[in-house]
Amino acid sequence: MHDLAPITALGGTTPRVDTVGTVTLTEKPDIALASVAARMGHEDACRAHLKNVIGAVPAPGKTQLHDPEAGFWMGPDLWMVGAPFETHEDLADQLKARFGQTASITEQTDAWVVFDLRGESMEDVVERLCAVDIRVMKTGDGTRTVIDHLGCFMLRRDPSDWVRILGPRSSAGSLHHAILTAMHSAV
């Protein structure tokens, strides 16, 4: 019999939390993720299903903050949907049942690491981290960026001192190090 124990993307049994000055970086392993890609000829039906799930269809550069599910635009007719892992461990299966043949749904939970960066100096940290103009981003904005040579998504959350960063799980340690280094530089 297997004796497996779940670990976070950074290899811990509990999420890692780092605080430097007024900024806190929190690993978020409690979020289920699934991508939704509209199938050719079914774009309108896919968008209707997506609107029913998260409340609206995120436009380019936007997120839809909805409870408990949320989503953001990743590309033309492509979105990422997230929800609490505790209640949506099978998020991809739930979405497949709902969307049927209108979309290709792919499990993404273990492909991404999610970090929340919060605090009054958060914008100073982001300015040192990547080429995102964080000071003009408003709640609900989202963008793709490069952090330490890694393709990432940055989502502006509410309140204004909060940004969520999604990066490749296989490079979680490198991404964490880059963010932590920027925190030490900014604060």
Side-chain angles (χ1 to χ4, degrees), residues 3 9 13 18 69 74 123 125 132 138 141 176 183 186:
D3 189 21
T13 56
D18 296 284
E69 300 91 359
M74 294 178 67
E123 292 174 333
V125 173
V132 169
K138 295 181 177 28
D141 287 348
H176 178 263
M183 289 168 64

Side-chain angles (χ1 to χ4, degrees), residues 8 10 12-18 24-29 114-116 176 180:
T8 69
L10 293 176
T13 56
T14 59
R16 177 130 176 213
V17 178
D18 296 284
T24 300
L25 178 64
T26 306
E27 183 183 17
K28 301 291 293 176
V114 180
F115 292 110
D116 280 350
H176 178 263
L180 201 55

Side-chain angles (χ1 to χ4, degrees), residues 43-103:
E43 296 87 353
D44 290 341
C46 176
R47 288 172 178 270
H49 288 300
L50 188 62
K51 183 177 180 180
N52 287 337
V53 172
I54 62 174
V57 177
K62 295 295 180 183
T63 66
Q64 175 63 26
L65 307 175
H66 188 264
D67 190 26
E69 300 91 359
F72 64 92
W73 185 87
M74 294 178 67
D77 294 320
L78 177 63
W79 303 269
M80 182 79 79
V81 175
F85 188 81
E86 184 177 315
T87 57
H88 292 76
E89 181 177 357
D90 61 344
L91 177 63
D93 289 336
Q94 292 174 24
L95 294 175
K96 284 178 189 179
R98 185 170 208 150
F99 283 74
Q101 296 299 311
T102 66

Side-chain angles (χ1 to χ4, degrees), residues 103-169:
S104 296
I105 311 294
T106 307
E107 171 65 44
Q108 296 287 333
T109 304
D110 288 331
W112 298 89
V113 61
V114 180
F115 292 110
D116 280 350
L117 183 64
R118 298 183 80 160
E120 64 183 52
S121 300
M122 176 274 295
E123 292 174 333
D124 297 331
V125 173
V126 171
E127 287 177 337
R128 287 160 177 79
L129 194 58
C130 61
V132 169
D133 192 352
I134 191 69
R135 296 188 192 275
V136 300
M137 285 182 77
K138 295 181 177 28
T139 298
D141 287 348
T143 190
R144 186 166 196 136
T145 189
V146 175
I147 299 174
D148 200 39
H149 306 286
L150 301 170
C152 298
F153 288 95
M154 186 168 292
L155 313 173
R156 190 72 188 244
R157 306 285 294 194
D158 187 38
S160 62
D161 68 345
W162 179 10
V163 70
R164 177 161 285 164
I165 300 168
L166 288 86
R169 184 182 175 105

